[in-house]
């Protein structure tokens, strides 16, 4: 097969795969948490945080699955300025509808455990896995580091919409969102009724403090810069920050032993990070 034909074949295969994914999902409208702006709970560019909510029904009416979007992090002014102009830094750049599929699907055959639960996808626009909180805003960059405030504002909004009556709840996330579900696991549990069954799921969020294939400790330095830039230290578990440098408390290996809520970890053997 000629190179051009092979390329065309792969493009067609990719198109078919994307079509199948789209067919599996159903579109859910965006919800902007406008009330959060007055509290300073805003994206990097100062816009309101957002999420998508598909209401539960029947036996799932009082069960909640809250999924946090992934998308890496920004670790300094330069990378956060770049991010600010994208959907990962501004709700103004987010699609107003997204397809819910997989663990968010409403099809019993595809998602037998959660198909009729209240399903939420929280959009990611702070670049710190929802841990940052810096009061000052540099007038030159107009960057807002407010991830922890976004977390609280979104949770408050969901609690007001019925999550305060949850009987079952699962917090989940992928990549940077998977790290979010670890760092906020017990905090999420504490928001819910004492009798609620609460668990946490981290998909590809267990980043390890190891050198990369070139023998460089890149991720340790990177996470330290994230924590410093976003002022995250005060929002990381005190059980870790009281004994270790705050940057190392971004690594789940230093967190999981203290987590009281049941936590399921799904991770590939290899990760580009």
């Amino acid at each position: 097969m000629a190179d051009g034909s092979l390329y065309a074949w792969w493009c067609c295969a990719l198109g078919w795969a994307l079509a199948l994914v789209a067919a599996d999902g159903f579109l859910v409208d965006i919800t902007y948490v406008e009330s959060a702006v007055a509290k300073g709970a805003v994206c990097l560019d100062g816009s309101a945080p957002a999420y998508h909510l598909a209401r539960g029904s029947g036996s799932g009416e009082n069960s909640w699955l809250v999924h946090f979007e992934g998308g890496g992090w920004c670790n300094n002014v330069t990378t956060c300025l770049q991010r600010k102009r994208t959907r990962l830094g501004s709700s103004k750049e987010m699609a107003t509808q997204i397809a819910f599929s997989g663990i968010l699907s409403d099809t019993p055959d595809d998602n037998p455990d959660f198909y009729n639960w209240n399903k939420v996808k929280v959009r990611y626009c702070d670049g710190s896995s929802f841990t940052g909180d810096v009061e000052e805003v540099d007038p030159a960059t107009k960057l807002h580091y407010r991830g922890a405030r976004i977390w609280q504002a979104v949770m408050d909004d969901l609690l007001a919409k019925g999550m305060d009556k949850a009987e079952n709840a699962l917090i989940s996330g992928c990549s940077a969102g998977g790290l979010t579900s670890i760092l906020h696991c017990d905090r999420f549990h504490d928001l819910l009724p004492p009798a609620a069954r609460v668990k946490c799921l981290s998909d590809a969020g267990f980043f390890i403090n190891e050198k990369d294939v070139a023998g460089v400790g890149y991720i340790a330095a990177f996470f330290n810069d994230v924590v410093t830039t976003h002022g995250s230290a005060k929002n990381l578990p005190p059980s870790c920050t009281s004994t270790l440098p705050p940057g190392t408390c971004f690594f789940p290996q230093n967190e999981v032993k203290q987590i009281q809520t049941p936590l399921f970890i799904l991770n590939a053997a290899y990760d580009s990070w």
Side-chain angles (χ1 to χ4, degrees), residues 42-202:
V42 292
C43 301
L44 285 170
D45 72 334
S47 58
Y51 61 84
H52 303 256
L53 166 62
R55 285 289 188 178
S57 61
S59 62
E61 185 177 6
N62 290 319
S63 295
W64 288 76
L65 192 165
V66 181
H67 182 83
F68 284 83
E69 182 178 30
W73 310 268
C74 61
N75 65 322
N76 54 42
V77 171
T78 300
T79 57
C80 288
L81 280 173
Q82 294 169 348
R83 192 181 184 95
K84 171 183 170 181
R85 296 186 286 270
T86 74
R87 64 176 177 79
L88 292 172
S90 171
S91 61
K92 297 175 183 177
E93 303 298 327
M94 295 174 185
T96 56
Q97 289 186 322
I98 62 171
F100 272 21
S101 59
I103 198 173
L104 299 176
S105 171
D106 65 347
T107 305
D109 288 345
D110 296 332
N111 190 23
D113 295 304
F114 309 113
Y115 74 95
N116 65 346
W117 284 31
N118 295 283
K119 296 179 289 292
V120 182
K121 182 167 185 175
V122 182
R123 303 304 299 268
Y124 183 35
C125 65
D126 67 278
S128 72
S129 286
F130 298 89
T131 62
D133 192 359
V134 176
E135 181 65 35
E136 299 78 15
V137 178
D138 186 334
T141 64
K142 295 182 173 61
L143 283 169
H144 298 73
Y145 302 112
R146 304 286 178 76
R149 296 193 199 185
I150 292 176
W151 155 270
Q152 191 59 55
V154 170
M155 292 299 105
D156 288 344
D157 208 56
L158 295 175
L159 288 166
K161 290 182 176 178
M163 197 171 73
D164 61 333
K165 299 178 180 64
E167 297 170 359
N168 301 286
L170 174 69
I171 182 178
S172 71
C174 182
S175 192
L179 179 59
T180 299
S181 68
I182 294 174
L183 296 176
H184 291 281
C185 182
D186 283 341
R187 192 174 289 122
F188 177 71
H189 195 173
D190 290 342
L191 293 173
L192 301 174
R197 296 171 67 240
V198 183
K199 297 184 180 181
C200 309
L201 163 64
S202 172

